[in-house]
Amino acid sequence: MYRTSSYLLKNANIYKSFFSYIVMKRIREEIIRKILYSLEEKPSSIQEISKKVGSNWSTTNEILEELKKDRKVREIVSTEKIRLFKLARDDTYLDIPISNKGKQIGFYLFNKIKKEWAKKMGKPPMNTDVLKVAVDVLEKTNLSRELPTVWYLFGKIPILKYSPEVDYPISDIEDSGRIDKEVSVSIKAFSTKRTVYERMLQQYETYNNELYKSKEKIRDMLNKNLDDEKILKELENEIAKFYFCIPTKDDASGIAMIVHEFIILLEKMILSLKKLDRFKKEITDAFASIWELVAIYMFFDSLGSYEQFKNREDLRFIYFENSIQYRISNAKDFLSQLNSIYLNNLDNLPEKMNYSKEAEAVRNMFFEMGIEKEK
Amino acid sequence: MKNFFLDQSVIVGYASFIFNEPETIIKAIERFGKTCTDFIESNKKEQFVTCFYIIENDLPKFKNRRKIALQEIRKKLHDPSYEIGSSEMATKYLYKRDINWANRIFSLLGILSPKQLFQLLIKIDAVFSIRIDYLIGNIIDKIVIPIEEINKELGNILREFIDDYSDCNVFASVLQYTTESESILETKKFFFLTLDKEHFNENNISFIEQEPRLKNYKFPEMEILI
């Protein structure tokens, strides 16, 4: 009798603990769901999140740490005073949020392009082909309002990532007829170009993007013989053009200043060292780091033109600032390395510039600033 | 061997001599440049000195202002309705005279296309900058008095005579160097080279030299190149 009661009591305790474990687990899952939901709206601090989800600070903090480990959230600001978290979205670039409608359009489009391309070209498309056709279609059908397209490293792309392994689910969407038609037209247009590279240039031409065209010309020239005077002359003209095309908005000024440093440094190397082939790798690396910086700004700038992202300051702070700062520091490292090479090899002054009335006029005004004193 | 201390005006003057042009068309600005260049070239066997305050403070600040001013010109070239000097960075770092300078450069659009103007600005800036780099790396033998070692008390006394803060720090560096390295004045001549007649003329410096609080400092010979 005694043993039986004890046995029952023991089992009752087990059931009780199990039950409370289940309840606790459910409560915790509910908090997790609420936390993730609250971050859908905007990045928040631990305190803001705990208020929104009705949980205390330490539980919220503990769960956020777990979610961070599972890569479901990212900590974007981490100071003594404040820690800010944002939702990690693996399906878009830089965790940029998109509407469900935008996602459905993207899935439909990717699916359609993949099939159509394989049918027409007899092989599956490259990632970049899918993205370029998708951009074309989104722009022509005006659906980029739902699924924004942005300029990035190799041209214009939708903010939704494409992966060839994924079997994209298709749901009924409005305008599917127009999308299908434009997909065919766009694939036909792109198929006239043989290589991915040519198709990339075609996109730059289509959107008449002088900055991207210039970037590609510079990359092309950097592959040539940099001891050749003619190539260096062309490079000199092209880097000036590239610099001229850098965006001029106030929030681009920090980036433009770094581009300025690179352009002047390269111009100095061309004018004073004359033969640059032996420094090709360092110059190419520095230019690549500059381009990564410019491209992330172009992403931000083009995204900021959409109504849903019109608050540029917030957009930059939440989704871009960390990447921009990282790339600035990276570009500075490459520039510093290139500058050391230039200084270590500066053994002669460049030849004097050829005189012209126009150049003299610029020079005369240019040096007025130098003659005046610093205050 | 003589010792020549190069003031910022001489460094900038040397850097501004960029054209290969006949003597007959040499204009005022080119004259500054030619005078500084000729002087430095013909005294290459002597010792050239400058101070950290010029190299690490004055020149970088000057280059930075010019960089920002060039950004302003670029903005205006993109958008003619843009008002030069209205950007956040320009408001923060440029003086009114820098903004006037940028506006005057922009007015050259009458004789040049935007592309030509921009290319020339880059080229002139690069040549100018190479000449400064070359002067510092290949001609100047010594850079003296780290900024943090500039005697503040000395700087404050000089401020009573010279109204330009930067000039005070430069001249304080010179006085500290000549005084700390007495041998220079005993065995060699030490010259302060400048184009700045306004602040560094001989009368002005002789007057400062009489200041009792500066009696322990050794003053350089003043040499105004223009």
Side-chain angles (χ1 to χ4, degrees):
Chain A
M1 182 71 183
Y2 171 76
R3 282 178 78 178
T4 313
S5 308
S6 155
Y7 177 76
L8 285 174
L9 188 64
K10 197 177 165 191
N11 273 318
N13 281 339
I14 289 171
Y15 285 130
K16 205 171 152 189
S17 332
F18 180 67
F19 181 71
S20 74
Y21 166 76
I22 294 288
V23 171
M24 288 302 287
K25 196 177 169 215
R26 285 213 176 133
I27 291 173
R28 200 174 173 85
E29 279 169 1
E30 182 60 13
I31 296 174
I32 290 175
R33 197 188 59 75
K34 280 183 178 171
I35 287 178
L36 293 174
Y37 183 73
S38 83
L39 287 174
E40 278 280 351
E41 200 185 317
K42 67 177 184 70
S44 312
S45 66
I46 302 175
Q47 200 166 2
E48 285 167 335
I49 298 168
S50 67
K51 227 184 225 176
K52 267 191 214 165
V53 304
S55 167
N56 65 42
W57 190 93
S58 74
T59 309
T60 309
N61 180 43
E62 194 190 308
I63 291 175
L64 279 167
E65 284 300 331
E66 247 175 56
L67 289 171
K68 206 169 88 176
K69 261 189 210 158
D70 295 343
R71 296 182 178 188
K72 287 185 175 158
V73 300
R74 289 188 233 278
E75 193 167 341
I76 50 169
V77 174
S78 185
T79 66
E80 270 180 30
K81 283 185 182 166
I82 194 165
R83 293 170 69 199
L84 277 185
F85 292 85
K86 76 171 175 185
L87 209 55
R89 297 169 211 266
D90 290 333
D91 52 358
T92 62
Y93 293 96
L94 300 179
D95 301 324
I96 307 291
I98 53 168
S99 64
N100 278 335
K101 191 177 173 194
K103 218 179 257 187
Q104 280 176 0
I105 291 170
F107 290 168
Y108 182 89
L109 204 44
F110 289 162
N111 190 303
K112 189 79 196 165
I113 295 167
K114 206 169 147 183
K115 282 182 184 159
E116 278 285 311
W117 187 284
K119 203 166 120 190
K120 187 159 177 55
M121 314 287 273
K123 58 179 180 185
M126 308 280 280
N127 281 19
T128 172
D129 292 325
V130 174
L131 297 176
K132 282 184 172 44
V133 173
V135 165
D136 223 24
V137 176
L138 288 165
E139 296 285 336
K140 283 180 187 159
T141 53
N142 225 359
L143 288 169
S144 54
R145 276 180 308 183
E146 294 295 342
L147 175 53
T149 61
V150 290
W151 286 98
Y152 198 29
L153 288 164
F154 305 107
K156 215 170 193 197
I157 52 167
I159 58 170
L160 188 69
K161 284 181 190 166
Y162 168 74
S163 169
E165 294 83 34
V166 176
D167 208 4
Y168 288 100
I170 293 193
S171 46
D172 283 341
I173 55 166
E174 287 171 41
D175 289 328
S176 59
R178 270 186 77 204
I179 292 178
D180 294 355
K181 193 181 143 212
E182 291 300 345
V183 167
S184 295
V185 172
S186 183
I187 289 178
K188 197 174 170 192
F190 274 107
S191 66
T192 59
K193 303 289 173 191
R194 267 187 326 114
T195 61
V196 169
Y197 179 73
E198 285 174 359
R199 294 196 277 272
M200 180 178 78
L201 293 184
Q202 188 187 5
Q203 192 194 47
Y204 299 170
E205 276 301 332
T206 306
Y207 293 97
N208 198 19
N209 193 318
E210 295 296 334
L211 177 65
Y212 279 69
K213 282 196 256 179
S214 180
K215 173 265 301 185
E216 215 41 57
K217 281 185 193 158
I218 293 174
R219 278 164 59 123
D220 189 38
M221 284 171 198
L222 291 179
N223 278 325
K224 293 183 178 165
N225 177 10
L226 297 184
D227 287 348
D228 184 329
E229 208 177 313
K230 203 177 145 215
I231 304 279
L232 290 181
K233 188 80 210 150
E234 284 172 20
L235 183 60
E236 222 185 317
N237 288 336
E238 201 55 48
I239 57 172
K241 192 174 169 193
F242 175 81
Y243 181 20
F244 188 73
C245 293
I246 295 291
T248 54
K249 287 185 181 131
D250 250 10
D251 54 20
S253 54
I255 289 161
M257 295 286 267
I258 292 174
V259 174
H260 175 102
E261 274 172 38
F262 171 73
I263 300 300
I264 296 293
L265 178 55
L266 189 51
E267 177 80 19
K268 288 199 292 187
M269 290 178 83
I270 293 171
L271 294 173
S272 61
L273 309 185
K274 295 196 162 71
K275 298 205 180 297
L276 300 185
D277 218 45
R278 61 201 158 131
F279 311 125
K280 183 179 269 185
K281 186 186 176 305
E282 290 81 359
I283 295 171
T284 307
D285 287 350
F287 181 65
S289 73
I290 290 291
W291 180 246
E292 282 190 8
L293 175 60
V294 172
I296 191 85
Y297 178 82
M298 293 304 291
F299 189 146
F300 158 70
D301 189 44
S302 41
L303 190 62
S305 67
Y306 288 93
E307 183 61 24
Q308 61 269 46
F309 298 109
K310 67 179 178 191
N311 186 338
R312 285 175 76 90
E313 271 181 35
D314 278 2
L315 178 68
R316 179 162 174 156
F317 175 70
I318 297 167
Y319 300 105
F320 290 90
E321 199 52 33
N322 286 346
S323 304
I324 289 176
Q325 289 312 321
Y326 170 76
R327 287 167 199 220
I328 285 178
S329 112
N330 202 31
K332 281 184 176 171
D333 283 348
F334 279 108
L335 286 186
S336 150
Q337 194 191 354
L338 201 58
N339 193 44
S340 303
I341 289 174
Y342 152 73
L343 289 174
N344 288 336
N345 288 279
L346 180 62
D347 298 326
N348 294 300
L349 279 172
E351 284 158 25
K352 293 248 164 56
M353 283 173 69
N354 286 331
Y355 175 82
S356 72
K357 261 190 171 173
E358 291 80 12
E360 189 207 18
V362 178
R363 187 280 316 268
N364 285 349
M365 288 205 185
F366 192 87
F367 287 116
E368 278 177 24
M369 195 182 202
I371 302 299
E372 289 177 69
K373 295 293 296 180
E374 296 285 310
K375 288 288 169 196
Chain B
M1 190 189 278
K2 290 177 184 170
N3 274 259
F4 293 108
F5 182 93
L6 303 181
D7 177 34
Q8 188 192 337
S9 58
V10 178
I11 296 176
V12 171
Y14 175 87
S16 65
F17 189 48
I18 61 168
F19 277 126
N20 190 10
E21 58 185 314
E23 290 279 332
T24 46
I25 54 168
I26 283 179
K27 301 288 191 312
I29 288 172
E30 197 72 352
R31 262 206 315 278
F32 283 118
K34 185 164 168 35
T35 307
C36 295
T37 305
D38 286 350
F39 186 91
I40 289 169
E41 301 274 320
S42 59
N43 285 286
K44 264 188 174 164
K45 286 181 185 161
E46 311 297 345
Q47 180 137 339
F48 290 101
V49 179
T50 193
C51 65
F52 281 102
Y53 194 83
I54 290 176
I55 301 296
E56 289 179 356
N57 184 76
D58 284 353
L59 282 174
K61 271 191 184 166
F62 166 66
K63 280 186 184 172
N64 196 46
R65 276 174 34 233
R66 181 126 88 193
K67 194 158 66 174
I68 296 168
L70 287 178
Q71 299 296 335
E72 292 296 296
I73 295 167
R74 197 170 64 89
K75 282 186 180 196
K76 181 89 177 166
L77 289 172
H78 273 267
D79 171 15
S81 68
Y82 176 72
E83 193 187 327
I84 287 181
S86 62
S87 74
E88 210 179 307
M89 217 176 242
T91 316
K92 202 167 166 189
Y93 294 106
L94 294 187
Y95 299 119
K96 197 159 187 288
R97 62 168 194 258
D98 300 334
I99 293 164
N100 292 338
W101 175 83
N103 271 313
R104 285 200 300 276
I105 294 260
F106 184 76
S107 70
L108 290 169
L109 270 188
I111 55 166
L112 289 157
S113 72
K115 195 181 155 201
Q116 280 177 313
L117 175 60
F118 198 63
Q119 278 185 339
L120 270 172
L121 286 171
I122 288 176
K123 191 156 190 163
I124 292 174
D125 199 16
V127 177
F128 169 80
S129 181
I130 294 171
R131 289 182 66 86
I132 289 188
D133 296 335
Y134 184 79
L135 183 64
I136 294 171
N138 300 53
I139 296 179
I140 291 175
D141 303 281
K142 215 170 181 184
I143 302 170
V144 300
I145 314 293
I147 295 177
E148 61 279 9
E149 287 176 21
I150 295 173
N151 184 329
K152 285 203 176 75
E153 205 186 317
L154 172 60
N156 287 338
I157 297 170
L158 291 171
R159 196 89 169 96
E160 293 170 23
F161 303 93
I162 303 170
D163 61 5
D164 187 287
Y165 179 72
S166 169
D167 284 345
C168 290
N169 280 322
V170 170
F171 206 64
S173 301
V174 172
L175 292 184
Q176 277 177 247
Y177 177 62
T178 52
T179 309
E180 285 162 16
S181 327
E182 271 187 39
S183 59
I184 290 172
L185 288 185
E186 282 166 13
T187 59
K188 303 160 192 171
K189 283 274 184 191
F190 190 84
F191 296 89
F192 182 90
L193 292 186
T194 184
L195 298 176
D196 183 1
K197 279 187 249 186
E198 194 191 328
H199 295 110
F200 292 127
N201 63 61
E202 237 171 272
N203 289 342
N204 209 2
I205 299 301
S206 305
F207 184 68
I208 299 172
E209 206 171 352
Q210 287 160 22
E211 165 60 44
R213 287 171 293 171
L214 301 177
K215 66 174 190 289
N216 292 330
Y217 286 99
K218 310 273 183 188
F219 277 64
E221 299 289 325
M222 300 305 292
E223 181 129 3
I224 295 164
L225 287 181
I226 292 278

